[in-house]
Every structure is written in C-alpha cells, then in structure tokens.
Amino acid sequence: MMIDWNDLRYLLAVAEGGSTLAAGRALRVSQTTVARRIAALEAAVGTPLFDRRSAGYAPTPAAQALLPLAQEVAGAARRFEEAADAGRRAVGGVVRLTTEDIFADALLAPLLAELYVLHPEIRIEIDSTRLLRDLGAGEADVAFRSTSRTAPAGVVGRRICADDWTFYCSRDYAQRHGDIPRTMSALRDHPLVGGGGGNLWRAYEAILAEYGLRDRVAIHQGTSTGLLTGIRAGMGIGVLPCIVADGDENLLRCMRPRTDHGRVLWLLTHQRVRHSPPVRAAIDFLYKRLRAQVKALNLNV
C-alpha cells in the first residue's frame, strides 16, 4: 500500500466540509482535484472512504476509524512546520568575529550597526587582533581575514576580493604639497607613515627597503588603525587597504596597487558552526554588504 500523505489533507477537508466543492474551496484547489485525490487515497487503502450522496459526501465506517489518525498526522505536520519556522527565526546569540583592527574600525563597524538594526538579538564580540585565531578550536566563530594559504581542514569561507594595498595621502596633504607621487621613486620627496604592527609592518618595510625608502619614514605607528589615523591627519603618505581607503572621501590613492601578492580577503567560519542561525545571519549579511562595496569601488576580486 503506497499512500501519498498529502492526500490525508483531502480526506480531512472533505470530512469537515461534507463535499468535494467545500473541500476545494478550503484547500484552494478545484473540485475535480479533490475528487481525484480522494479516489487515489481510496485505491491506496483498498476501501471506500465516503458514501457519495446527493446531499454530499458522508464518511464510511472505515473513514471514521482513519480520521483520528489522519488528524494526528496533520497535527504532527503543523508542529514540524512551526518548529522549522522557529528555527529560522531564532537567530539570537553571540557571534565572535576576529579581524585586523583597521577592518574592524573603518570597514565593519558601520556594517555591524546595520546588522544590529536588523537583528538586535545577535550580539557581536569583536576581537581586533593581529593574531590568527583558530576557528577549528573555537577561538572565534567568524574571521574576516587576509590570506594566501589554503584554508585549514573544516574551515569554509566566502571570497570578498583581492587584498590590495597601496599608497594614499589625505586631501589636505595633497593641497599643501600641490602634487602627490605617482611612482615609487617619487615617494623619495615625501615623508612616509610607517608601521602597522606584526606581519603588516614586515611586508611594508620590505617594500620600502626594496625601493630605498626606509629612511623616509617620519612616524611609526604600532597598529594598522594607527596607519589610517596618521595618513588621514596629513602626517605623510603610507599604505592602506584599498577596500578601506578607496571608500574614504578624505583619502587619495597615489598609485596603482601591486597585484602579485596573492592575498585574498575572506569571510571564514568553521563547518561546525556554519549552520548556527546567528553565525549564518551575520555571514550572509556581511557578505552581501562587503561584496556590494567591492562592486561600488570597482576593486579587484
């Protein structure tokens, strides 16, 4: 016996309405469809379920015995739908997000304010650090991270764009100097804002050393946010991530970024928590907003 469990809806509707016409109206289908599904159910159970009378459909004794069971099935289906819907809506919880301080302050902070308006039940804990948190060990739920390496086992992500950096100055600095450098050699005539901390400074310093510009550093900042602050303040020229600086109306790009670095910005999480409602909601929202910004700024993807 092969029963289409959906046909139990038609059984209940006809029993309640007393006719295929009334059942069709209740289920928003045609009377013919109701009659066909009742006939299919009767064929499956091997016995008539209704006496067809001029006054309507009357349940047979077999139907009377089956109706309570059909009602139990319908109730279980409703409870299943309600539980699934509650799961979709229950996005509350804590999401621990790790990223560099410059991305946390200049890029993600406005987006997270929008996220709070949409999902005030989600609490975001920001870990702005140069250290790479272990997502597999549960040190963070989501990482907005630049990397050129293959993701560790179990880590899944969405690519945002190439992690391009280049030299910027403030509009005030450009006005005071009347010109901005368009080549690395032209930087020789300008004070540089150095630093950034950790691996960032090591990579930045290597570029300066390559072009003989190490001695042009006029101020050394200990963090990547410090780089942004110093350049905005007009202290000199320095490197910044294009996804941050190109969207800042107070900053001017001096030259095209190098594209041979192989680094990419990712939104990463671990498969262990990827389906957690608050994590999924946060990642979906941030990905949509970040990709829109990448498109608007015409950045390399």
Side-chain angles (χ1 to χ4, degrees):
M1 181 173 61
M2 296 294 293
I3 293 178
D4 183 343
W5 299 108
N6 191 50
D7 287 345
L8 299 185
R9 297 170 55 239
Y10 296 93
L11 171 65
L12 293 170
V14 173
E16 181 176 349
S19 69
T20 53
L21 179 61
R25 289 172 178 168
L27 297 175
R28 296 184 179 181
V29 297
S30 69
Q31 183 179 11
T32 302
T33 297
V34 176
R36 186 175 68 253
R37 299 319 309 165
I38 291 297
L41 183 59
E42 288 177 329
V45 299
T47 187
L49 297 174
F50 292 96
D51 290 328
R52 279 74 168 172
R53 302 172 180 173
S54 58
Y57 277 45
T60 65
Q64 294 286 3
L66 292 174
L67 282 171
L69 299 177
Q71 290 167 346
E72 289 183 18
V73 173
R78 282 195 301 272
R79 291 191 295 274
F80 181 90
E81 291 176 352
E82 291 168 357
D85 185 59
R88 286 192 297 268
R89 292 183 285 104
V91 298
V94 176
V95 176
R96 296 166 298 158
L97 172 63
T98 180
T99 189
E100 278 267 0
D101 56 351
I102 192 170
F103 295 132
D105 296 344
L107 182 63
L108 297 182
L111 302 184
L112 294 175
E114 290 183 50
L115 177 62
Y116 178 76
V117 172
L118 291 174
H119 296 291
E121 67 276 19
I122 296 178
R123 189 177 83 219
I124 302 292
E125 294 183 355
I126 296 290
D127 177 20
S128 54
T129 177
R130 296 190 296 269
L131 301 176
L132 297 181
R133 299 302 189 192
D134 188 340
L135 298 177
E139 293 180 351
D141 299 313
V142 179
F144 182 61
R145 180 182 299 170
S146 170
T147 182
S148 59
R149 296 179 294 179
T150 302
V155 173
V156 293
R158 299 185 188 181
R159 181 185 176 120
I160 302 301
C161 64
D163 185 26
D164 291 339
W165 291 57
T166 192
F167 287 87
Y168 291 84
C169 68
S170 68
R171 290 187 179 276
D172 178 66
Y173 181 94
Q175 291 173 356
R176 285 188 284 110
H177 288 77
D179 192 14
I180 57 177
R182 297 298 183 184
T183 64
M184 292 296 293
S185 59
L187 286 172
R188 191 90 192 116
D189 299 324
H190 297 267
L192 301 180
V193 179
N199 292 330
L200 169 57
W201 172 234
R202 281 190 284 273
Y204 183 12
E205 185 180 30
I207 294 173
L208 296 181
E210 178 183 350
Y211 290 94
L213 297 169
R214 181 65 179 80
D215 62 334
R216 295 303 302 154
V217 175
I219 184 170
H220 186 100
Q221 299 283 358
T223 64
S224 55
T225 300
L227 279 177
L228 177 61
T229 300
I231 297 167
R232 276 177 173 168
M235 294 178 178
I237 295 173
V239 295
L240 292 171
C242 297
I243 194 172
V244 170
D246 280 0
D248 190 323
E249 63 181 14
N250 294 317
L251 297 174
L252 297 175
R253 185 191 283 198
C254 296
M255 61 192 76
R256 295 174 61 86
R258 295 173 61 162
T259 57
D260 58 352
H261 50 77
R263 300 188 67 81
V264 173
L265 284 168
W266 293 86
L267 268 176
L268 301 169
T269 189
H270 195 271
Q271 60 186 11
R272 174 177 46 80
V273 297
R274 67 182 300 188
H275 296 301
S276 162
V279 170
R280 187 174 65 247
I283 288 180
D284 288 347
F285 174 85
L286 290 174
Y287 178 77
K288 181 179 179 180
R289 292 294 192 274
L290 289 169
R291 287 291 293 182
Q293 184 154 340
V294 167
K295 184 177 180 181
L297 297 176
N298 197 28
L299 301 176
N300 295 325
V301 296

